[in-house]
Amino acid sequence: MMEELLSNTQTSFEDIKESYTQVCDNIKKVLSATGRSDKVQLMAVTKTVDPERINYAIDLGIDLLGENRVQEFLDKRDSYKKAEVHFIGGLQTNKVKYIIDKVSMIHSVDNARLAQEISRRAGQHGLVMDILVEVNIGEEQTKGGISPESVRGFCAEVLELPNIRLRGLMTIPPPGCSEKIFAMMQELFQNIKAEPPQNSNEKNMLFDTLSMGMSGDYEVAVKYGATIIRIGSGLFGYRKYNK
Ligand SMILES: *Cc1c(COP(=O)(O)O)cnc(C)c1O
């Protein structure tokens, strides 16, 4: 597959700044319209973005980056400023070892083997890794993620692992789906938060994160309780390849 690493290079710094201001304004509007008083964290999704533009985004005040390709992340990370990074992409079990000590959260945990490997590798580094369980809320056949009815059981399974702390849920709703899907996700999140699995305790669970919303749907996501929105093209411009 041909991949162009630096495909957002036409986007000017001015464009990034303008988009950032716009996204922040839109978030504020939705927060006040829905009466939410808590905060939403804006994550800059930096796949295919060159270090110069990443550094510019950091200078604008963005303090959280999302990377979703292991190799690209490893190649790039030393050339941008220190910032908090979450891993948000599909993660193969055999790649966990490369990122385990370089990210502060993994958003895309959707199978037991992956969770076990994260816990094992975290233990080797003396770490406890924060994770989100990825939910296939649209129940799309082709997508990763745990089906909504299995989420509670899977969370309980993850909570058995010694070096993992369950922080919440993540989802990628089907493009153009109805608001009902976002509402379902919010309900699922709130249900588990209100009634945590019995094997949870203050060490293995801090259920405060709902990672939902991308460039095309972040306003709806904020309306339905997202605490992290993941914005790529809406900040940096379009990618030549999409994932
Ligand atoms: C690429 C990506 C995003 C950002 O998508 P945009 O539509 O460009 O904002 C968010 N989340 C995940 C998991 C991604 O892979």
Side-chain angles (χ1 to χ4, degrees), residues 14-230:
E14 206 47 50
D15 289 339
I16 297 172
K17 188 175 182 177
E18 221 166 89
S19 302
Y20 175 62
T21 309
Q22 188 70 56
V23 172
C24 291
D25 282 354
N26 291 342
I27 295 171
K28 272 191 211 125
K29 274 185 209 149
V30 180
L31 284 176
S32 74
T34 49
R36 275 184 67 180
S37 55
D38 57 332
K39 278 217 182 101
V40 173
Q41 196 170 20
L42 195 171
M43 167 196 284
V45 177
T46 46
K47 64 187 171 204
T48 78
V49 180
D50 57 299
E52 235 191 318
R53 281 168 180 73
I54 298 175
N55 283 334
Y56 183 74
I58 293 170
D59 288 341
L60 284 177
I62 290 174
D63 56 3
L64 177 61
L65 309 180
E67 290 277 5
N68 77 332
R69 294 176 167 226
V70 171
Q71 194 55 52
E72 184 188 329
F73 169 50
L74 297 176
D75 290 344
K76 259 188 345 194
R77 65 185 287 269
D78 286 334
S79 39
Y80 56 73
K81 295 180 184 182
K82 294 251 172 311
E84 187 175 2
V85 178
H86 291 177
F87 196 82
I88 62 172
L91 182 57
Q92 286 170 284
T93 304
N94 63 357
K95 303 240 169 105
V96 170
K97 58 177 177 285
Y98 301 121
I99 64 156
I100 193 72
D101 58 340
K102 300 177 181 67
V103 300
S104 59
M105 196 185 290
I106 298 174
H107 284 220
S108 42
V109 178
D110 67 354
N111 68 83
R113 274 187 54 236
L114 176 60
Q116 284 156 10
E117 177 66 1
I118 291 170
S119 180
R120 188 172 81 87
R121 294 290 181 180
Q124 288 175 349
H125 288 270
L127 301 168
V128 172
M129 180 56 66
D130 281 341
I131 65 132
L132 304 178
V133 166
E134 182 172 351
V135 182
N136 186 352
I137 193 70
E139 305 206 57
E140 295 167 283
Q141 302 244 318
T142 56
K143 275 215 188 134
I146 303 285
S147 70
E149 57 282 0
S150 308
V151 169
R152 172 174 284 277
F154 183 68
C155 285
E157 210 176 314
V158 160
L159 291 171
E160 290 297 319
L161 297 166
N163 305 309
I164 275 184
R165 181 167 65 161
L166 178 61
R167 290 291 299 270
L169 305 178
M170 178 271 214
T171 195
I172 306 174
C177 72
S178 86
E179 289 198 16
K180 266 191 231 155
I181 298 279
F182 293 82
M184 275 170 58
M185 192 65 206
Q186 181 178 35
E187 193 183 333
L188 187 61
F189 176 71
Q190 285 175 344
N191 283 345
I192 294 174
K193 191 177 166 132
E195 220 181 296
Q198 283 184 345
N199 59 343
S200 66
N201 58 53
E202 60 194 23
K203 273 178 71 185
N204 66 9
M205 184 161 166
L206 174 65
F207 211 75
D208 63 354
T209 305
L210 177 55
S211 169
M212 168 167 88
M214 318 202 309
S215 299
D217 61 10
Y218 68 91
E219 288 161 287
V220 189
V222 171
K223 179 174 168 188
Y224 290 100
T227 66
I228 295 181
I229 57 168
R230 310 178 307 265

